[in-house]
Amino acid sequence: MLRFAAVIPCCCRLEDCQFRGCVDNTCSLLKLLPAVEMLSVYILGIYGIELRFTALWYAKRNSLDSCIQSIYGSVLRAKNQKMTVLLNQQRTVGIKRRMYMKKLNKVISAALVVGMTAASLPVATAFAEDAEKLTISVTGGSEDSMQVNTATSGFLNGLSACRHMYEGLYKLDANGEVVLGQAASVDISDDMLTWTFTLRDDITWSDGQAVTANDFIFGFDNLTAQGGDYSTILSDVVASYEATDDKTVVLHLSSPCGYLPSILAFPSTYPARQDKVEEFGDAYATDPDKSVYNGPYAMTSWDHEAEVVMELRDDYYDAANISVGTINWMLTSEESTALASFESGDIIYSDMCPDEEEPRMVDNGLHYVPGNNNYCVMFNLGEGGNDVLKDVKVREALALTIDRERIIAIRGLNDEMGITLACSGYTNEEGTDFTEYADPWLDVTDYEGNCEKAKALLAEAGYENGEGFPALTYIVNNDSRKEIAEAIVNDWKEILGIDSITVEKVENFSAARRAGEYDLAYYGWFMDYTDLSNMFGTFVDTASSNSFYQSDEYDAAYTAAISTGDQAEQWEHYKECEAILAKDLPVTVILHSMNGYLFDDVNYDGLVYSCGNFVFTYLTQK
């Protein structure tokens, strides 16, 4: 039998009683005991749990309010900490965690309210408000991916966690839209080069200190100094920044940037407290007490390799409008474990589901959304690449003969056909998706016609039927992508007669691509924030795309797109970017993958899912 022990401060009948609620040497708290006893008996009878309350004096408590708070807090902590053990015991009789949580919350709340009423306590309302907050359990990855130093975090699990514990000048709202966060207002100069932010008056760190403009300046500096994956995400567009006073942050841009709010809503650009970063050094943000938090939640425990617990901060400016009070964030990389936990009700969200289980989970919590990414073959147009790939006719012939429908079928992951660089999900004011607005790179409905055109192009390039085509290496970074690459190479062999391309899985894949040590390579870009600039910008910064592609025409179209705030004008420039890439073919797009996740939408609403990031702040219970 599982025992919960809650310690109640009490000193009944002691001569040195310091408890001011005593009446006739009898603690007023005894009025609570019948309700507590009823609670214990009730839960014991329904769930097989014994709640054992021990009356002890501790910590110099001297008010009945403190007693009640201790009882309530102890019960809830015990409930949260031991729930997994309980569920393991009860799983054979089919008790779901969500059902248990809901009933147990009601029972505890009702019993305590009865007791507090009997004792004529004035604090019942405060506890009733606390009882309304939800406790949820989720998972998004393993311990290794739970990196919550905003300056170095690079995994979706850690970035998502950061969105709960920290907050930038902007944030994601309940609709996944970018809105002002720690900033109360922003003033943008007419030339869009100077952005002046005024901070809110009611923002604090979890230790009570006010969030200041200098915290943002230090956060920006620390981002660059740490050299993480996103160390240049701000400096790519911002030339300088300053704090003109405690409440004012000023950014000076190198060129107009309409998507700056998206960058400032990304965790890498969040503020950081200099004293904490310097105090803990490399250990900063590796345990709850090694950081302070300015977001809606504070980390209260980290059982490494097992679970992170976050609690809603009472002093967060919007806490009254947030329903989720506690997030238990399970740490695992095992897809089967995550699925089992979801199906048992232990967790309400997982971004993992075994591929073979997806068909049966489609109507049982599995959701598909546009992945904000693409899957491509990249051609090395730099000095290290073979000269044969410098001929656009060869690149077009290779692009046309990829049987995209077959590739999507092999993957079996509900992918979308790739006919543009940008993926679906971006609509204008008229509701038109950008993938429909832009011209397709090729006609995927006429594969036979594409193959005939490809044969002619290859012959024009001097390699009719593949004769004389040089040996090339196509590099990938894992087995699944190797399987797809081999299928593509087989298309080239069967249709074009090219049998001199070898697929190789390399351990130092990223380094090899950066160094240009390849001929063809897997390329995929997973967008960091929901703005088309993040996709098209990769072919301006060739260090990111690694194709060593450079086009003044493309750079001009991209710069024009990001320099205007008018969506219609911006989309015309992005459409031009698509056309230039379709003509130049530094890559050929194969597909846009979908993202899948498990979510209990039967009992909950309000999940925000954006570019692989998951936000639970706005969840409500149905």
Side-chain angles (χ1 to χ4, degrees):
M1 180 177 293
L2 181 66
R3 289 187 172 91
F4 291 92
V7 179
I8 301 176
C10 181
C11 55
C12 304
R13 308 183 189 281
L14 296 181
E15 293 181 1
D16 60 345
C17 176
Q18 301 178 46
F19 185 63
R20 304 309 180 209
C22 290
V23 179
D24 298 329
N25 288 325
T26 302
C27 178
S28 301
L29 184 59
L30 289 177
K31 296 179 181 181
L32 280 178
L33 294 184
V36 171
E37 184 176 356
M38 289 171 56
L39 171 65
S40 178
V41 172
Y42 179 76
I43 297 180
L44 177 62
I46 300 298
Y47 297 105
I49 307 170
E50 179 181 347
L51 287 175
R52 178 171 295 178
F53 291 85
T54 304
L56 297 174
W57 170 257
Y58 77 102
K60 297 182 180 179
R61 304 291 188 185
N62 60 4
S63 71
L64 192 53
D65 291 7
S66 298
C67 287
I68 301 305
Q69 189 168 4
S70 177
I71 298 171
Y72 191 78
S74 298
V75 172
L76 291 186
R77 283 194 298 274
K79 177 197 68 174
N80 290 334
Q81 293 169 359
K82 301 301 182 182
M83 189 62 62
T84 300
V85 178
L86 171 67
L87 283 164
N88 287 337
Q89 295 177 350
Q90 296 293 337
R91 196 165 289 156
T92 56
V93 295
I95 296 177
K96 295 291 186 181
R97 182 180 194 275
R98 66 178 73 93
M99 297 170 61
Y100 173 82
M101 292 279 286
K102 189 183 297 184
K103 291 180 180 179
L104 185 56
N105 271 330
K106 289 180 179 179
V107 171
I108 293 171
S109 299
L112 289 178
V113 168
V114 169
M116 286 184 285
T117 301
S120 301
L121 298 178
V123 294
T125 301
F127 291 134
E129 291 177 355
D130 287 343
E132 293 173 359
K133 298 296 185 182
L134 302 174
T135 295
I136 62 171
S137 293
V138 302
T139 189
S142 65
E143 171 83 11
D144 290 342
S145 64
M146 184 54 77
Q147 298 177 358
V148 291
N149 177 348
T150 56
T152 57
S153 184
F155 293 96
L156 291 174
N157 191 37
L159 289 168
S160 297
C162 286
R163 290 186 183 275
H164 294 80
M165 297 184 292
Y166 305 96
E167 188 172 284
L169 294 168
Y170 289 91
K171 65 178 181 180
L172 297 180
D173 70 4
N175 298 312
E177 300 294 329
V178 175
V179 298
L180 288 174
Q182 299 276 285
S185 64
V186 58
D187 180 70
I188 306 171
S189 62
D190 291 340
D191 60 6
M192 295 184 66
L193 294 179
T194 302
W195 295 53
T196 303
F197 295 91
T198 301
L199 300 185
R200 299 175 62 102
D201 292 327
D202 52 0
I203 51 176
T204 62
W205 293 98
S206 53
D207 64 355
Q209 285 195 28
V211 178
T212 70
N214 280 317
D215 294 329
F216 281 91
I217 300 306
F218 177 76
F220 300 157
D221 287 342
N222 192 46
L223 172 64
T224 302
Q226 293 290 332
D229 290 344
Y230 295 99
S231 59
T232 66
I233 190 173
L234 188 65
S235 60
D236 284 343
V237 296
V238 175
S240 64
Y241 41 78
E242 59 182 323
T244 56
D245 56 47
D246 283 347
K247 288 291 184 181
T248 309
V249 178
V250 182
L251 305 184
H252 303 284
L253 279 59
S254 51
S255 62
C257 180
Y259 61 92
L260 182 64
S262 294
I263 292 177
L264 296 175
F266 194 72
S268 300
T269 64
Y270 290 177
R273 273 267 296 278
Q274 184 172 358
D275 59 330
K276 298 299 181 181
V277 173
E278 293 177 348
E279 177 183 357
F280 296 111
D282 292 340
Y284 172 73
T286 58
D287 276 305
D289 60 349
K290 291 181 171 60
S291 182
V292 285
Y293 313 97
N294 75 316
Y297 296 89
M299 186 190 298
T300 55
S301 72
W302 189 341
D303 183 2
H304 290 281
E305 307 291 343
E307 183 184 60
V308 165
V309 178
M310 304 175 191
E311 300 282 352
L312 180 65
R313 293 176 50 212
D314 292 338
D315 56 348
Y316 177 68
Y317 63 86
D318 201 33
N321 295 316
I322 296 174
S323 297
V324 178
T326 304
I327 303 174
N328 300 314
W329 202 299
M330 184 173 76
L331 302 175
T332 182
S333 60
E334 295 296 328
E335 294 179 337
S336 58
T337 299
L339 177 59
S341 297
F342 180 78
E343 291 193 284
S344 70
D346 289 5
I347 61 175
I348 67 167
Y349 173 89
S350 170
D351 70 342
M352 295 174 280
C353 182
D355 293 345
E356 63 273 15
E357 299 289 352
E358 288 189 1
R360 73 175 182 86
M361 294 303 296
V362 168
D363 295 320
N364 294 289
L366 179 62
H367 301 259
Y368 286 109
V369 294
N372 292 294
N373 60 5
N374 52 32
Y375 193 118
C376 311
V377 177
M378 174 178 285
F379 306 108
N380 186 348
L381 305 183
E383 295 180 0
N386 193 292
D387 287 343
V388 69
L389 295 175
K390 307 297 195 301
D391 188 336
V392 71
K393 292 179 180 179
V394 172
R395 300 200 297 275
E396 186 176 2
L398 296 176
L400 288 168
T401 47
I402 297 174
D403 188 347
R404 288 164 173 79
E405 287 188 359
R406 186 167 69 92
I407 297 302
I408 290 173
I410 291 172
R411 281 169 52 87
L413 297 175
N414 208 33
D415 300 317
E416 294 181 344
M417 190 76 72
I419 56 174
T420 56
L421 183 73
C423 47
S424 63
Y426 296 85
T427 57
N428 59 15
E429 294 176 353
E430 288 74 38
T432 303
D433 195 282
F434 182 78
T435 57
E436 299 172 356
Y437 181 85
D439 297 323
W441 288 26
L442 74 165
D443 181 5
V444 294
T445 65
D446 185 16
Y447 181 63
E448 291 185 3
N450 289 341
C451 290
E452 291 304 314
K453 181 180 179 181
K455 292 177 183 177
L457 286 168
L458 195 65
E460 290 176 22
Y463 304 102
E464 187 171 5
N465 297 321
E467 295 179 5
F469 199 87
L472 302 177
T473 301
Y474 182 165
I475 67 169
V476 296
N477 58 344
N478 61 42
D479 289 332
S480 64
R481 287 169 182 162
K482 183 178 181 183
E483 180 185 12
I484 298 303
E486 288 172 342
I488 292 171
V489 168
N490 186 67
D491 287 339
W492 294 335
K493 179 179 179 180
E494 294 294 325
I495 305 300
L496 300 175
I498 298 173
D499 61 359
S500 56
I501 300 178
T502 303
V503 177
E504 181 181 346
K505 185 179 76 170
V506 297
E507 297 299 326
N508 56 344
F509 176 78
S510 296
R513 261 193 11 191
R514 285 194 300 270
E517 297 171 352
Y518 73 94
D519 297 308
L520 305 105
Y522 159 77
Y523 173 73
W525 183 258
F526 200 124
M527 294 176 66
D528 300 312
Y529 44 84
T530 53
D531 191 277
L532 289 171
S533 60
N534 189 234
M535 182 64 77
F536 291 109
T538 59
F539 288 92
V540 172
D541 180 2
T542 56
S544 295
S545 71
N546 308 138
S547 64
F548 306 98
Y549 168 72
Q550 199 283 322
S551 166
D552 292 340
E553 181 186 18
Y554 181 85
D555 292 354
Y558 175 77
T559 300
I562 66 173
S563 299
T564 179
D566 182 79
Q567 186 186 62
E569 184 180 351
Q570 187 179 70
W571 273 37
E572 273 300 303
H573 293 305
Y574 282 141
K575 181 178 181 179
E576 184 181 359
C577 287
E578 289 276 10
I580 296 169
L581 291 176
K583 170 175 63 72
D584 293 348
L585 290 173
V587 299
T588 182
V589 184
I590 302 171
L591 57 88
H592 297 135
S593 64
M594 300 290 284
N595 281 353
Y597 61 85
L598 297 168
F599 176 59
D600 179 8
D601 58 351
V602 173
N603 295 297
Y604 296 90
D605 276 325
L607 175 70
V608 173
Y609 189 93
S610 177
C611 289
N613 286 225
F614 26 95
V615 180
F616 309 112
T617 307
Y618 308 107
L619 284 187
T620 57
Q621 196 163 30
K622 292 183 177 179

